[in-house]
Amino acid sequence: MLPGAVIGWDLTAALALGNALGVPPLAMAELLPVIEAVMVAKLNEQMERLNG
């Protein structure tokens, strides 16, 4: 764990959300890792700007 940083998402919850929204599991499995990587980087950049 890194204090003050996002290191990842709860992918089980993200898959459940996709299922609830009707997104096919194969599409979620393909897209989530890419989306997660970009969102984590952007969240950390934003937190750094706010705290730095």
Side-chain angles (χ1 to χ4, degrees):
M1 186 166 102
L2 297 173
V6 175
I7 57 171
W9 283 357
D10 179 347
L11 291 182
T12 302
L15 288 168
L17 178 61
N19 185 48
L21 293 171
V23 178
L26 184 57
M28 293 295 291
E30 287 287 324
L31 297 173
L32 274 176
V34 176
I35 293 168
E36 178 191 26
V38 172
M39 289 303 299
V40 165
K42 294 298 180 182
L43 284 169
N44 285 327
E45 285 175 15
Q46 183 178 15
M47 288 188 329
E48 188 174 309
R49 277 195 309 271
L50 293 173
N51 296 326

